[in-house]
């Protein structure tokens, strides 16, 4: 059995009209702006890491369409259980560069107070759940949240995100099976970027693709061109509508490519060919969507310049702002652990603060170990 890949925008920017979703011009422009903002954040994040201003960064260049198309298909009240390579989803929902970079620095403005890994954002008001480093562990959590929604007879749905490597984890199969049996209102969203760090997808599965795995668990799966933002949107919207109507889960596989390293600690030149990277670079999702907007009469040189200039100005201003905020107060290590801090922690906090006043402990100045 061969599964066809859904594609709406051809590589030259022309569109398959019968498959084109109905979206107004402002929404299409917002999609483009958000994709650019993801790319600009990537540029800044890697620059900050390489110059020693932050310790670690996880880029997502090449996957902008996969992130933005999926997030745009959800309603604001729907939940996202993301991976550490999904900044476009939370940018679409309204997170600011300042909040995201504060997290990279682990500074006083960081919502996690430096307790989480970089790129592991959490935005409660945006229903963007805290990210897990071990892959696929968020999937059973996502299905559980979807079941809670079902029991409450609410209409939200849950997006359960993973990469191709996550399909080899037991948590993936446990979550898929449970969701299939109980018709959980969730969508399993696999961004197949061809590499799980240095493991190619051909060594990840013997299946013809990832979406076919849904069939074994009793629900539909579809594979889309992940560098085509409208294909991602269309497939995701259909899956969202199905879940919201009480028809159970779906799986969407987005075929895309991680153009950069797995993280700032990785060197992809050690395990993949330059020719492969160049082939995918010619499929750049931002370039393709720009061509589409040109064909639709929604693009101009002024719009292009304004989009990139504004994003770069915002990210540079955000970096400057968070760099001056300083580290979290030492007392925060005892806070946000319990609803009301128990007496023994209050005693420990006071003892530590008193001890630090003696000056016996100095900041070593060592960089983040990653």
């Amino acid at each position: 059995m061969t599964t066809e890949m859904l594609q709406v925008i051809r590589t030259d920017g022309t569109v398959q009209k019968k498959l084109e979703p109905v979206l107004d011009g402002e929404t299409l422009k917002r999609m483009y702006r958000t994709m650019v903002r993801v790319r600009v954040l990537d540029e800044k994040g890697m620059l900050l890491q390489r110059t020693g201003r932050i310790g670690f960064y996880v880029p997502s260049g090449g996957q902008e369409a996969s992130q933005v198309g999926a997030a745009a298909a959800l309603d604001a009240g729907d939940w996202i259980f993301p991976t550490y390579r999904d900044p476009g989803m939370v940018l679409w929902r309204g997170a600011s560069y300042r909040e995201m970079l504060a997290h990279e620095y682990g500074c006083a403005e960081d919502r996690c107070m430096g307790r989480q890994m970089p790129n592991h954002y959490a935005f409660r008001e945006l229903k963007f759940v805290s990210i897990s480093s071990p892959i696929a562990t968020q999937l059973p959590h996502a299905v559980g949240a979807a079941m809670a929604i079902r029991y409450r007879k609410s209409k939200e749905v849950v997006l359960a995100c993973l990469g191709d490597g996550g399909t080899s984890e037991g948590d993936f199969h446990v979550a898929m099976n449970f969701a299939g049996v109980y018709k959980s209102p969730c969508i399993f969203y696999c961004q197949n970027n061809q590499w799980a760090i240095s493991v190619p997808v051909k060594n990840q599965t013997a299946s013809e693709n990832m979406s076919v795995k849904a069939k074994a668990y009793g629900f539909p799966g579809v594979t889309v061109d992940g560098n085509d933002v409208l294909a991602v949107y269309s497939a995701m919207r259909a899956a969202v509508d199905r879940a919201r109507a009480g028809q159970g889960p779906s799986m969407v596989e987005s075929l895309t490519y991680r153009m950069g390293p797995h993280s700032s600690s990785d060197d992809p030149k050690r395990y993949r060919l330059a020719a492969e990277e160049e082939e995918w670079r010619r499929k750049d999702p931002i370039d393709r969507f720009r061509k589409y907007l040109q064909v639709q009469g929604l693009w101009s040189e002024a719009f292009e310049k304004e989009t990139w200039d504004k994003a770069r100005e915002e990210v540079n201003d955000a970096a400057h702002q968070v760099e001056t905020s300083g580290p979290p107060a030492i007392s925060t290590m005892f806070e946000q652990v319990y609803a009301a801090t128990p007496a023994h922690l209050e005693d420990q906090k006071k003892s530590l603060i008193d001890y630090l006043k003696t000056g016996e402990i100095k900041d070593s100045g060592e960089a983040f170990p990653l």
Side-chain angles (χ1 to χ4, degrees):
M1 182 179 72
T2 301
T3 304
E4 292 186 7
M5 178 184 71
L6 174 65
Q7 183 184 78
V8 176
I9 307 173
R10 303 181 184 94
T11 54
D12 63 357
T14 59
V15 66
Q16 301 191 59
K17 282 292 183 183
K18 291 182 179 179
L19 301 177
E20 185 180 20
V22 179
L23 294 169
D24 62 77
E26 282 308 308
T27 299
L28 293 169
K29 287 183 176 180
R30 182 186 168 199
M31 284 178 162
Y32 185 75
R33 291 191 191 98
T34 308
M35 289 167 66
V36 168
R37 295 187 79 214
V38 178
R39 184 69 58 88
V40 167
L41 178 63
D42 257 16
E43 292 173 355
K44 189 65 175 181
M46 289 299 290
L47 179 63
L48 291 172
Q49 195 281 330
R50 295 308 192 222
T51 55
R53 291 156 72 187
I54 62 175
F56 183 73
Y57 191 76
V58 179
S60 58
Q63 297 182 222
E64 295 88 353
S66 293
Q67 298 169 28
V68 174
L74 298 170
D75 289 351
D78 296 331
W79 290 85
I80 299 176
F81 282 71
T83 73
Y84 43 66
R85 209 182 305 277
D86 287 324
M89 294 187 185
V90 74
L91 281 170
W92 176 264
R93 289 215 156 170
S96 69
Y97 278 151
R98 182 166 179 169
E99 291 173 296
M100 297 174 81
L101 286 179
H103 177 75
E104 301 294 347
Y105 279 84
C107 64
E109 291 188 29
D110 176 19
R111 294 181 177 210
C112 299
M113 295 296 173
R115 296 171 180 167
Q116 256 285 27
M117 282 279 293
N119 281 79
H120 289 49
Y121 322 102
F123 292 88
R124 182 174 184 173
E125 75 280 11
L126 301 179
K127 295 193 172 180
F128 190 85
V129 178
S130 182
I131 297 165
S132 170
S133 276
I135 59 175
T137 57
Q138 70 275 13
L139 301 182
H141 302 162
V143 173
M147 291 303 295
I149 288 169
R150 181 181 167 192
Y151 288 137
R152 291 175 179 175
K153 301 183 188 287
S154 187
K155 286 296 182 182
E156 296 97 340
V157 302
V158 174
L159 185 66
C161 303
L162 67 149
D164 43 295
T167 64
S168 294
E169 295 292 328
D171 284 332
F172 167 75
H173 300 279
V174 167
M176 292 275 282
N177 190 59
F178 192 98
V181 170
Y182 293 102
K183 296 191 180 301
S184 177
C186 64
I187 302 98
F188 293 91
Y189 183 45
C190 176
Q191 292 183 62
N192 180 355
N193 66 13
Q194 313 303 311
W195 291 92
I197 309 184
S198 60
V199 178
V201 70
K202 67 180 181 180
N203 293 342
Q204 199 69 245
T205 184
S207 300
E208 62 173 293
N209 55 40
M210 297 304 182
S211 67
V212 75
K213 296 177 186 292
K215 186 176 179 60
Y217 298 104
F219 53 89
V222 61
T223 298
V224 305
D225 182 342
N227 286 14
D228 173 357
V229 69
L230 296 189
V232 174
Y233 173 88
S234 294
M236 186 60 66
R237 190 69 211 183
V240 166
D241 290 345
R242 183 174 185 276
R244 210 181 306 281
Q247 296 173 8
S250 304
M251 183 174 181
V252 177
E253 175 191 16
S254 175
L255 283 178
T256 183
Y257 193 74
R258 189 196 79 215
M259 291 202 295
H262 172 76
S263 75
S264 56
S265 302
D266 174 46
D267 179 9
K269 292 182 175 62
R270 299 184 64 179
Y271 54 81
R272 68 186 190 192
L273 299 175
E276 176 185 299
E277 294 183 9
E278 182 56 34
E279 177 187 356
W280 279 93
R281 207 167 293 280
R282 290 193 292 269
K283 302 175 184 177
D284 188 302
I286 294 178
D287 290 345
R288 190 190 305 188
F289 197 41
R290 181 190 303 118
K291 292 174 185 175
Y292 169 80
L293 294 179
Q294 287 176 295
V295 171
Q296 301 302 310
L298 295 170
W299 181 93
S300 67
E301 290 186 4
F303 168 73
E304 181 78 1
K305 185 177 187 303
E306 179 189 12
T307 297
W308 286 91
D309 287 353
K310 184 178 180 181
R312 286 177 174 142
E313 180 182 356
E314 285 182 3
V315 82
N316 288 333
D317 287 347
H320 175 72
Q321 290 163 351
V322 299
E323 281 183 337
T324 60
S325 68
I330 196 70
S331 61
T332 60
M333 67 186 293
F334 299 93
E335 297 165 357
Q336 300 176 359
V337 179
Y338 297 90
T341 307
H344 72 279
L345 280 188
E346 287 288 1
D347 291 342
Q348 290 176 29
K349 179 170 71 172
K350 183 178 183 303
S351 296
L352 178 58
I353 291 172
D354 290 343
Y355 180 61
L356 291 173
K357 289 176 182 177
T358 68
E360 293 183 30
I361 295 179
K362 304 292 183 183
D363 184 351
S364 66
E366 294 180 357
F368 190 76
L370 295 177

